[in-house]
Amino acid sequence: MNAIAGSNAVKIRARGVTKRFAVRRRADVIAVDGVDLDVEENELLAIVGPSGCGKSTFLYMVGGFLEVSEGEILVDGRRVTGPGTDRGIVFQHFALFPWLTVRENILYGLRERKVAEAEREATTAELIALIGLRGFEDVYPKQLSGGMKQRVAIARTLAIDPEILLMDEPFGALDAQTRTVMQDELLRIWNQRKKTVLFVTHDVHEAVRLADRVVVMTARPGRIKAIIDAREAHAPDAANVRESPEIARKVNEIWEHLRDEVALAQRQEAVSSSGRGG
Amino acid sequence: MARLGVEAFRYAPLVLLVIAWELAVRYGVISPNFLPEFSAVAGTLWALTLSLELPENLGISMYRQAAGFSLAVVIGVALGIGMARVRAVELAFRPLVTLWYPVPVVALFPVLVLILKLGDQLQITVILLGSILPVILSAYNAARGVDHYLAWSALSMGTSPERLLWKIVLPAALPGILSGIRVTLALSFVLLVASEQLGALGGIGAFTLSAGENGFYTGMFAGILTIGLVGFVADRLYLALIRRLLSWRDEE
Ligand SMILES: Nc1ncnc2c1ncn2[C@@H]1O[C@H](COP(=O)(O)OP(=O)(O)OP(=O)(O)O)[C@@H](O)[C@H]1O
Ligand SMILES: [Mg+2]
């Protein structure tokens, strides 16, 4: 299993990363257990795994929002000790600022970083066009659908142009058409600006279509079960639109790894909802 | 126009009450010794307004109310958020707040008179002490309940931990804080009048009390009507302000 990457520069390095949550009157929850992972510079890496296996938790630790219980995470060789603008994040539940309009949400990071006004406005206008929300600039998040909120969350993170993009099911709330459009946009941006992208998804097809490599995680406690190279499934001439018969084969391969874990996670859930798990 | 009609309709019960009051007294259902006719009270109200007696007392009262209320809001919000965010502040003030909770401030009035003497400072202190708790508690709870993902988002977009308070905690907690302040606003009027009737140099409460003691009943009711009206208008204005400030809020 090639969890440890070869030739390219390593952007994110996780070594023995473990996360335990203390829970009242129960044994600790081990959400992530001894994960070793190298994400190469400019790699698009997808993480798939059953619900509750620690995908979000792992992303939060890379983001510096949660401390690791054991092990360490290095970004550009430096230990992560907290959040930073080098790592942008799109949260699973968007976390838009409800008191700011769409435009102000996207402007937020640019203002905080004291970007000059002309540049700020240009970037924001460009991003609003990109996410197809022209005409909604001055609307508050409460007036947006889930899919629209998700697109604002993506734009807000892209605005600060971080070297690393952490995305937690970034297209989960989108309808099928918008989803494909946004996936292709992500590929386009990634090709243009060369970012390291770590994204979580429940959609195996999406993982294979977008990612260079796909990490399959086990049911809780989350460990790495397999890492599948998806590059060979991408049509070599089509950098942006990736479709090929190979993709279906890769999807099946990943499902073979996932099936048991999903079943296990469901059993865990049944046990803990009957009050004995933890 | 239609809006205006709806507004008018909403106050219809009040108008009916006033009419009932007028008729009940006029036709002897209620003795005029208990309650003067509304028209007589309104006439006195007008006369007292022209003689400036009412406006002057109201001015004194409003100064006390505004000062006590503003102090309660500023100190209460600072304390509530401070307790929610800084462990040391919570440890220092939580026992005080808990002990303060059941104390009826008006019962402390004689002590406060001894310490502060008669004067605006007395009423301002009573209002401050008696109305600050709802602001402290609502600010504390609202600041505690701020979604940590909002703070994480801000941090990852370059907001420093020190600026988090202004950029995220305060706006996110605003709905809770503002609803606590509304309670404080109502309390401040109650405390104003009560403390002015217990002992004050001037003010609408003192005026009402002395009018009653001197058998000047229409004047007494004119005073009561005035303070009721001012409190009502203050609450309406405050609600309008909340609606403006919180137009972004998702209400369900
Ligand atoms: N703050 C916390 N305290 C206690 N347990 C937690 C906490 N956060 C997460 N967990 C537990 O850790 C496990 C992993 O959670 P996490 O959110 O990372 O899963 P996930 O893989 O992102 O799931 P999903 O696909 O449903 O989003 C879950 O069992 C969850 O209940
Ligand atoms: Mg998750």
Side-chain angles (χ1 to χ4, degrees):
Chain A
M1 202 192 311
N2 73 359
I4 314 296
S7 52
N8 282 354
V10 173
K11 187 73 178 172
I12 306 168
R13 169 164 289 175
R15 284 292 176 275
V17 170
T18 297
K19 182 67 188 179
R20 271 188 299 271
F21 288 110
V23 189
R24 290 157 283 107
R25 279 182 271 124
R26 281 197 189 179
D28 288 1
V29 171
I30 300 174
V32 176
D33 189 15
V35 165
D36 294 322
L37 179 69
D38 283 354
V39 186
E40 290 170 22
E41 182 133 35
N42 303 332
E43 181 174 14
L44 240 162
L45 188 105
I47 302 179
V48 299
S51 188
C53 76
K55 305 181 294 295
S56 296
T57 303
F58 182 69
L59 228 54
Y60 297 161
M61 289 189 287
V62 176
F65 309 116
L66 292 179
E67 282 176 39
V68 299
S69 306
E70 270 170 43
E72 62 176 1
I73 296 176
L74 306 173
V75 168
D76 290 328
R78 279 186 303 273
R79 198 185 179 119
V80 169
T81 52
T85 47
D86 56 332
R87 285 151 290 144
I89 185 156
V90 178
F91 288 107
Q92 196 169 351
H93 302 292
F94 328 130
L96 296 179
F97 303 130
W99 59 90
L100 299 180
T101 62
V102 166
R103 213 169 110 318
E104 291 166 336
N105 262 285
I106 299 173
L107 272 171
Y108 182 91
L110 299 167
R111 283 186 171 142
E112 287 299 278
R113 303 187 69 188
K114 308 225 163 26
V115 174
E117 178 162 355
E119 189 188 335
R120 227 157 59 189
E121 296 300 327
T123 307
T124 305
E126 195 181 306
L127 283 167
I128 287 173
L130 170 77
I131 58 173
L133 284 184
R134 270 214 198 106
F136 288 89
E137 289 92 340
D138 299 320
V139 151
Y140 288 108
K142 71 166 175 183
Q143 288 156 280
L144 301 176
S145 72
M148 290 158 111
K149 284 183 194 158
Q150 191 151 42
R151 282 179 275 158
V152 177
I154 293 171
R156 185 176 69 166
T157 304
L158 290 176
I160 55 167
D161 200 19
E163 289 170 33
I164 297 174
L165 266 179
L166 306 171
M167 304 174 102
D168 201 347
E169 304 188 31
F171 310 126
L174 304 183
D175 61 87
Q177 294 94 319
T178 317
R179 175 179 268 241
T180 313
V181 171
M182 291 301 294
Q183 286 174 353
D184 291 341
E185 276 306 325
L186 175 64
L187 284 179
R188 194 181 62 79
I189 289 164
W190 174 72
N191 273 316
Q192 246 176 29
R193 306 206 187 154
K194 280 302 169 197
K195 294 178 183 307
T196 307
V197 182
L198 190 56
F199 78 102
V200 169
T201 178
H202 272 125
D203 180 341
V204 177
H205 183 263
E206 173 175 282
V208 174
R209 202 169 98 86
L210 295 183
D212 294 322
R213 291 184 301 156
V214 180
V215 173
V216 181
M217 290 186 68
T218 64
R220 203 180 65 226
R223 301 192 188 93
I224 292 182
K225 175 156 188 184
I227 297 184
I228 281 104
D229 201 313
R231 274 169 291 213
E232 53 208 58
H234 301 157
D237 53 333
N240 283 355
V241 182
R242 294 169 165 179
E243 291 301 344
S244 80
E246 293 293 307
I247 287 194
R249 272 223 346 256
K250 284 283 170 195
V251 169
N252 278 334
E253 185 184 339
I254 291 171
W255 258 115
E256 287 309 314
H257 290 292
L258 256 182
R259 201 180 316 273
D260 300 342
E261 302 304 328
V262 170
L264 182 57
Q266 277 165 356
R267 278 202 299 280
Q268 282 176 349
E269 213 159 281
V271 168
S272 62
S273 65
S274 73
R276 293 187 290 115
Chain B
M1 208 52 222
R3 237 190 97 84
L4 218 67
V6 172
E7 279 296 298
F9 195 71
R10 187 150 34 163
Y11 296 123
L14 268 178
V15 176
L16 287 178
L17 189 72
V18 167
I19 294 174
W21 169 2
E22 178 74 24
L23 293 179
V25 182
R26 188 164 290 186
Y27 294 104
V29 181
I30 299 174
S31 152
N33 295 333
F34 285 116
L35 186 68
E37 292 161 13
F38 175 74
S39 51
V41 173
T44 305
L45 187 70
W46 183 239
L48 287 172
T49 304
L50 290 183
S51 73
L52 293 185
E53 198 168 345
L54 214 48
E56 271 163 15
N57 280 302
L58 188 61
I60 295 170
S61 291
M62 290 321 293
Y63 163 67
R64 293 166 179 165
Q65 188 276 336
F69 171 71
S70 311
L71 282 174
V73 167
V74 172
I75 299 173
V77 169
L79 209 56
I81 293 183
M83 283 168 63
R85 305 286 297 179
V86 185
R87 191 88 183 103
V89 178
E90 165 147 38
L91 287 176
F93 285 95
R94 182 183 263 282
L96 262 176
V97 171
T98 316
L99 280 178
W100 194 240
Y101 199 58
V103 176
V105 175
V106 176
L108 293 178
F109 196 80
V111 185
L112 291 172
V113 174
L114 281 180
I115 300 172
L116 296 169
K117 310 287 183 283
L118 287 188
D120 292 340
Q121 70 280 355
L122 180 61
Q123 270 68 40
I124 293 172
T125 306
V126 172
I127 293 172
L128 169 65
L129 294 180
S131 73
I132 197 172
L133 271 174
V135 197
I136 297 179
L137 295 179
S138 66
Y140 175 79
N141 288 323
R144 295 219 105 184
V146 173
D147 181 1
H148 64 266
Y149 288 102
L150 297 179
W152 288 3
S153 286
L155 289 171
S156 77
M157 288 190 282
T159 304
S160 66
E162 301 79 56
R163 269 167 66 78
L164 221 47
L165 186 67
W166 295 109
K167 298 297 292 183
I168 304 300
V169 176
L170 212 55
L174 196 62
I177 293 173
L178 290 181
S179 66
I181 290 178
R182 192 178 173 200
V183 178
T184 290
L185 180 66
L187 274 177
S188 73
F189 278 99
V190 174
L191 289 158
L192 169 74
V193 175
S195 70
E196 282 181 346
Q197 294 192 338
L198 284 170
L201 304 172
I204 202 87
F207 169 83
T208 306
L209 185 72
S210 78
E213 282 171 349
N214 296 316
F216 180 25
Y217 295 120
T218 52
M220 181 181 83
F221 279 101
I224 294 172
L225 219 55
T226 305
I227 196 67
L229 211 61
V230 169
F232 176 77
V233 170
D235 187 56
R236 287 283 119 179
L237 287 177
Y238 184 73
L239 270 186
L241 176 78
I242 288 191
R243 253 184 236 125
R244 270 193 81 87
L245 285 177
L246 301 183
S247 60
W248 51 267
R249 188 162 56 147
D250 200 353
E251 243 118 353
E252 351 108 57

